[in-house]
Amino acid sequence: MPPVFRFAPSPNGYLHLGHAYSALLNHDLARAAGGRFLLRIEDIDATRCRVEFEQAIYEDLAWLGIAWETPVRRQSEHFSAYGAAIDRLTAERLVYPSFESRADIARLVAEREAGGVWPRDPDGAPLYPGTAKSLPSGERDRLIGQGAPFALRLDMAAACARADGLRWREAGEGPAGESGEVAARPEAWGDVILARKETPTSYHLSVVIDDALQGVTDVVRGVDLFWSTSVHRLLQELLGLPVPVYRHHALIRDAVGQKLSKSTQATGLRELRAEGASPADIRRLVGLP
């Protein structure tokens, strides 16, 4: 079977050079291997994703000379698939609701840190400090029945007890040069969120389900997602999903060494195109032949 690569942007802003590098690299690798290239729109965040940004993704990629298979998978059209996975994990007692707000969690972290350093995940965010896992089922049902906001979290300790010794094959490099067989460390993320009341999935859950359903064999993405692979390997194991080969690549950074981000208004491809840049110029700027 030919290898399957994918580029999966979120339509919550315009594409920049970092996106261009990842899209072009995936497309180049697929073409060189005689494989397939898929485009997936990761639009689960209804508050930030917009139709005009999605349309701009199609325009920018076409301008770069990238061709993709159709139809394009849009995550917002597949919440039922993610919900089925949540139901399965819930039935296996691996998921529980937590009801603290972000402000509540910040307060709890501050209280914990009064007695010492509270652990952080690989992205630097504090691990979940709450006690919702120990709430009686009747109290959980009462809060949900009252319409209280909640997040569905993975019971990491219980999940790891069922999936010890996870590894993945890394064809690129991690932040410290990790390559080859890499040991997963999902416990470093604590009880990650898999869904919320208002958004019935999360990045971690939807990406592993989509990759499996679309037959993705090679996941090529930025090194900032390297340790997220630990959570993805755990979910793959729990849900009986196939494991792709991973290849994490270096990030395109700005003049002061920060990674490009939509949130910091990084110069978009559309602006570069308007200033007269060509697709060949973009390839040169991101270091591709």
Side-chain angles (χ1 to χ4, degrees):
M1 296 293 290
V4 181
F5 295 76
R6 51 76 163 172
F7 175 60
S10 295
N12 54 13
Y14 294 113
L15 298 187
H16 51 59
L17 285 175
H19 299 113
Y21 177 59
S22 196
L24 287 166
L25 181 59
N26 272 280
H27 191 254
D28 289 356
L29 290 169
R31 185 170 53 185
R36 299 165 55 205
F37 174 80
L38 309 179
L39 173 63
R40 183 166 73 224
I41 300 298
E42 299 195 339
D43 59 344
I44 61 174
D45 187 347
T47 61
R48 297 177 61 206
C49 294
R50 289 161 39 185
V51 172
E52 58 265 37
F53 292 145
E54 181 177 339
Q55 186 57 41
I57 288 171
Y58 302 138
E59 294 171 358
D60 286 340
L61 295 181
W63 174 71
L64 286 172
I66 292 175
W68 57 89
E69 294 184 12
T70 56
V72 171
R73 183 178 177 91
R74 302 176 72 249
Q75 289 184 333
S76 60
E77 298 172 351
H78 299 279
F79 285 138
S80 61
Y82 315 134
I86 288 286
D87 290 344
R88 175 175 171 178
L89 295 173
T90 300
E92 296 179 9
R93 301 181 182 276
L94 294 175
V95 171
Y96 66 91
S98 65
F99 301 92
E100 298 93 345
S101 67
R102 289 181 173 86
D104 291 334
I105 289 176
R107 176 181 53 78
L108 288 170
V109 170
E111 291 174 358
R112 305 290 189 273
E113 290 195 319
V117 177
W118 186 253
R120 256 65 175 171
D121 68 25
D123 283 343
L127 301 192
Y128 173 63
T131 58
K133 187 161 49 178
S134 61
L135 276 180
S137 59
E139 179 65 8
R140 293 176 180 175
D141 293 343
R142 185 186 68 81
L143 289 169
I144 292 174
Q146 290 178 344
F150 62 85
L152 293 177
R153 294 181 179 274
L154 181 67
D155 184 337
M156 186 60 74
C160 287
R162 300 191 187 186
D164 190 32
L166 296 175
R167 309 180 74 82
W168 78 84
R169 184 154 67 90
E170 177 61 46
E173 283 192 355
E178 301 92 342
S179 192
E181 291 294 314
V182 177
R185 297 191 290 109
E187 67 281 358
W189 293 90
D191 290 359
V192 293
I193 292 174
L194 296 185
R196 295 184 183 275
K197 177 184 177 181
E198 69 279 7
T199 305
T201 188
S202 66
Y203 166 74
H204 292 310
L205 182 66
S206 56
V207 73
V208 297
I209 291 174
D210 286 348
D211 284 343
L213 291 176
Q214 293 189 284
V216 173
T217 62
D218 293 74
V219 173
V220 181
R221 61 190 182 188
V223 71
D224 54 329
L225 292 170
F226 182 81
W227 286 116
S228 294
T229 311
S230 292
V231 178
H232 302 168
R233 280 295 295 113
L234 178 58
L235 290 172
Q236 288 159 353
E237 189 74 10
L238 296 174
L239 295 169
L241 303 178
V243 183
V245 174
Y246 289 89
R247 175 172 174 163
H248 292 88
H249 60 71
L251 303 178
I252 304 297
R253 299 185 179 275
D254 62 20
V256 295
Q258 298 296 314
K259 78 170 186 176
L260 301 183
S261 171
K262 295 170 184 172
S263 63
T264 58
Q265 305 299 311
T267 301
L269 295 180
R270 56 192 283 116
E271 285 105 341
L272 293 170
R273 183 165 72 246
E275 293 170 2
S278 68
D281 292 328
I282 301 301
R283 295 187 69 93
R284 177 180 53 78
L285 287 171
V286 300
L288 289 173

